[in-house]
Amino acid sequence: MTSFLISGIVCALGLSSSVTAVAYGDSVQKSATEKQFSQEFPEGYSFLKHIGGNGPYSERRSYGISRDPPDSCAVDQVIMIKRHGERYPLASTGESIETSLAKLYGAGVTEWKGDLAFLDEWKYYVSNKCWYEAETYSGPYAGLLDAYHHGATYRDRYGDLWNGDVTPFFSSGYSRVINTARKFGEGFFGYNYSTDAALNIISESETLGANSLTPVCYNDNDTDTCDNLPTTMPVFKVAAARLNAQNSGLKLNETDIYNLMTMASFELNNRAFSDWINVFTQDEWVAFGYLGDLSYYYCAGPGDKNMAAVGAVYVNATLSLLNEGPEKAGPLIFNFAHDTDITPIVAALGILIPSEDLPLDRIPFGNPYSIGDIVPMGGHLTIERLSCNATAMSEKGTYVRLVLNEAVVPFNKCQSGPGYSCSLDDYTSILKEELPDYLTTCKVPKSYPQYLDFWWNANTTTDLNYQQGPIGCQEGYTMS
Ligand SMILES: *[C@@H]1O[C@H](CO)[C@@H](O)[C@H](O)[C@H]1NC(C)=O
Ligand SMILES: *[C@@H]1O[C@H](CO)[C@@H](O)[C@H](O)[C@H]1NC(C)=O
Ligand SMILES: *[C@@H]1O[C@H](CO)[C@@H](O)[C@H](O)[C@H]1NC(C)=O
Ligand SMILES: *[C@@H]1O[C@H](CO)[C@@H](O)[C@H](O)[C@H]1NC(C)=O
Ligand SMILES: *[C@@H]1O[C@H](CO)[C@@H](O)[C@H](O)[C@H]1NC(C)=O
Ligand SMILES: *[C@@H]1O[C@H](CO)[C@@H](O)[C@H](O)[C@H]1NC(C)=O
């Protein structure tokens, strides 16, 4: 409706002569010459969906369910967990990238040709090894910008829920995660951030057991597939042969292609444009993206049979928040952690589980476990509690919806509420029944906290709202 009206206004201003608009009262009707809907879905392709979890945020491809709740409902509580924003590669990834770059530059090529012609000008975006691990701050896809933008967008969407109370929000104790939380907070709370938001930092130490945003499985006995995943794909050999043929002396192999594609996938995180992306074909990117799906699925998702138990910690605790409701538990519960803390939660919720384990020898096209739609950089899972009036199909009451990267994902076993939501009662009883037990599955030491309760013991002091002093070289774990 919005775009419809805007093009009507453009016409009225005389900016378009090919379309004539006629206003009937409030509505605007276009001439029959322009289609209301484009019939094109250009190969259903975006680079941003085929880079594993490495590159810029993009919204989840929606099933078409409206992002806004239906007219009969209003959101009264929001519980979110967000991955840190766009970042530089990890230091370990950086080592592999630098190995293949050294091979490229050491090949004795004096003038780059073909797909690599841009290399005469190009420079690696990590000019200082201290950048590895850090959130990016430069360019249109910068991580800090993502977080601020997300906060401001959520202010617009959920700002009415803020009751003026000092609002605790929660970050795991890792530098880039904390910086994401702070920028989100500045976006959401605006001028009131310094006094009305209170950052709580929850250590990532394993000794926190279940009282953590980053719980681990102490006895993970299902890592065989994860430990032996493929690291290249057949089409990478084609890419290597193409580049080697264009530049004599070059001897790249499929491992180098994987490393260089990895490097390319991170480039947009701090630059507006990447020539490297165009070095590889769409089909090669599709293969690269699937390696990412495999890694998350088998190492941090439902392909590791213990991961749902890890995610159950958060899901179980959110059931308490939802059942206490906004009056008791607060209307806004914002949390910040890592990709591999969110994928276990998605597994525990029982959504996006493929009907069979992902194959290692071919790409199962149409697979629901497409990581670009689950945890891109800045990816987030938002649980909305809805207060709904009766409709012709549903009773007045409290309902729940899962929103992943801004697209509604119906709960598999219960979607009969308004907007394909589930009644809070059914949602709660289904999950109470089905959630695996973290303590026994993961053999949590008895001396560690046995359940999550930091949401109920939050501090309202604002001392941690801002970074004090410089961020260290490759800074990771921190409590400030
Ligand atoms: C539900 O009904 C009440 C009473 O008519 C009304 O005040 C309220 O705005 C309605 N809620 C929604 C979400 O439409
Ligand atoms: C934000 O803080 C300012 C200064 O304390 C205060 O005047 C204002 O009312 C606050 N805004 C809201 C929406 O509470
Ligand atoms: C892991 O251990 C549990 C018992 O603690 C057992 O039920 C499960 O089958 C084991 N899984 C694998 C993959 O060995
Ligand atoms: C590619 O070459 C590097 C050395 O440049 C080597 O370490 C790596 O194992 C090779 N990969 C394959 C698949 O042969
Ligand atoms: C689930 O949550 C409840 C209430 O917060 C808590 O008492 C219980 O120990 C939790 N269970 C697990 C397995 O974390
Ligand atoms: C609140 O602050 C106290 C004292 O610094 C600390 O022990 C506790 O862990 C904090 N709580 C949270 C949820 O961070």
Side-chain angles (χ1 to χ4, degrees):
M1 194 62 191
T2 313
S3 60
F4 194 69
L5 283 173
I6 287 170
S7 40
I9 290 162
V10 169
C11 292
L13 292 173
L15 297 173
S16 164
S17 53
S18 61
V19 184
T20 42
V22 186
Y24 295 100
D26 289 331
S27 70
V28 178
Q29 206 172 58
K30 289 194 182 180
S31 79
T33 57
E34 182 162 309
K35 289 173 177 169
Q36 184 176 2
F37 300 104
S38 167
Q39 291 174 287
E40 293 173 12
F41 288 88
E43 290 163 352
Y45 178 83
S46 163
F47 164 79
L48 297 179
K49 291 300 178 198
H50 302 283
I51 44 180
N54 296 351
Y57 174 75
S58 61
E59 290 182 345
R60 181 177 170 75
R61 286 168 288 187
S62 164
Y63 299 129
I65 301 168
S66 171
R67 172 66 179 87
D68 295 330
D71 289 347
S72 58
C73 302
V75 176
D76 70 11
Q77 189 184 41
V78 176
I79 307 165
M80 180 191 78
I81 183 164
K82 178 177 168 74
R83 183 189 187 191
H84 55 72
E86 290 71 0
R87 60 163 168 80
Y88 288 95
L90 303 180
S92 53
T93 311
E95 260 179 54
S96 312
I97 291 172
E98 289 184 31
T99 304
S100 290
L101 280 180
K103 192 164 162 184
L104 187 81
Y105 286 120
V109 178
T110 48
E111 196 196 336
W112 293 101
K113 301 222 178 65
D115 295 326
L116 296 177
F118 71 93
L119 277 184
D120 291 328
E121 304 283 324
W122 184 84
K123 286 200 168 49
Y124 184 33
Y125 49 85
V126 185
S127 54
N128 180 329
K129 284 183 200 288
C130 284
W131 294 131
Y132 286 132
E133 308 277 344
E135 184 106 342
T136 57
Y137 58 86
S138 148
Y141 304 102
L144 294 179
L145 188 60
D146 167 340
Y148 187 86
H149 177 258
H150 185 186
T153 305
Y154 266 31
R155 179 54 182 250
D156 185 34
R157 179 175 283 285
Y158 298 124
D160 287 350
L161 298 183
W162 183 47
N163 50 19
D165 289 351
V166 177
T167 303
F169 66 124
F170 306 86
S171 171
S172 71
Y174 208 86
S175 181
R176 60 175 173 266
V177 178
I178 295 171
N179 286 306
T180 301
R182 287 177 175 140
K183 275 286 170 283
F184 176 94
E186 289 183 61
F188 189 91
F189 291 95
Y191 295 123
N192 296 72
Y193 173 68
S194 58
T195 52
D196 290 347
L199 183 61
N200 285 239
I201 298 176
I202 313 299
S203 166
E204 294 196 359
S205 165
E206 290 190 8
T207 60
L208 261 66
N211 196 21
S212 172
L213 283 168
T214 56
V216 297
C217 202
Y218 297 88
N219 184 44
D220 192 351
N221 62 353
D222 192 18
T223 63
D224 287 356
T225 312
C226 168
D227 294 340
N228 294 291
L229 288 174
T231 54
T232 72
M233 296 288 272
V235 290
F236 295 177
K237 293 185 186 177
V238 180
R242 180 175 67 244
L243 300 181
N244 292 343
Q246 290 170 353
N247 292 279
S248 86
L250 204 55
K251 293 198 172 56
L252 300 176
N253 64 23
E254 62 269 39
T255 311
D256 300 310
I257 296 301
Y258 176 77
N259 292 339
L260 294 170
M261 291 180 90
T262 301
M263 180 190 68
S265 67
F266 280 96
E267 187 161 24
L268 292 181
N269 293 352
N270 79 336
R271 284 183 179 159
F273 186 84
S274 167
D275 285 298
W276 271 106
I277 291 169
N278 299 327
V279 167
F280 306 104
T281 66
Q282 234 173 268
D283 292 6
E284 287 155 9
W285 281 115
V286 166
F288 181 85
Y290 185 60
L291 290 179
D293 299 347
L294 286 175
S295 167
Y296 283 93
Y297 180 79
Y298 283 109
C299 303
D304 176 328
K305 303 302 176 221
N306 295 318
M307 282 301 137
V310 172
V313 172
Y314 180 90
V315 175
N316 173 58
T318 60
L319 293 179
S320 301
L321 294 176
L322 292 165
N323 282 283
E324 286 174 10
E327 299 80 12
K328 184 144 182 269
L332 303 166
I333 302 100
F334 296 132
N335 305 280
F336 300 83
H338 302 267
D339 47 357
T340 51
D341 304 309
I342 300 175
T343 48
I345 294 170
V346 172
L349 288 166
I351 54 172
L352 311 179
I353 315 265
S355 54
E356 54 188 62
D357 275 335
L358 298 185
L360 303 181
D361 58 348
R362 71 187 163 84
I363 303 177
F365 289 101
N367 143 44
Y369 212 76
S370 177
I371 215 66
D373 279 324
I374 304 175
V375 279
M377 295 292 178
H380 49 276
L381 173 70
T382 305
I383 303 175
E384 289 184 340
R385 195 183 109 128
L386 305 174
S387 164
C388 303
N389 286 331
T391 68
M393 62 168 260
S394 54
E395 290 173 6
K396 177 180 167 75
T398 305
Y399 293 82
V400 180
R401 285 213 305 192
L402 305 174
V403 181
L404 185 57
N405 303 322
E406 302 309 301
V408 173
V409 180
F411 194 53
N412 293 353
K413 294 204 174 151
C414 166
Q415 44 191 248
S416 55
Y420 303 95
S421 63
C422 177
S423 76
L424 176 60
D425 287 348
D426 289 346
Y427 178 84
T428 305
S429 59
I430 292 170
L431 284 170
K432 285 260 179 217
E433 176 74 20
E434 293 191 348
L435 283 179
D437 183 51
Y438 173 60
L439 302 176
T440 54
T441 309
C442 289
K443 299 202 165 67
V444 180
K446 290 269 186 305
S447 58
Y448 296 168
Q450 306 286 296
Y451 54 91
L452 189 163
D453 71 354
F454 61 79
W455 285 326
W456 292 272
N457 295 301
N459 293 316
T460 50
T461 48
T462 56
D463 321 354
L464 295 171
N465 284 17
Y466 295 93
Q467 174 80 26
Q468 307 286 324
I471 295 173
C473 187
Q474 295 182 11
E475 185 162 314
Y477 300 108
T478 173
M479 287 299 283
S480 60

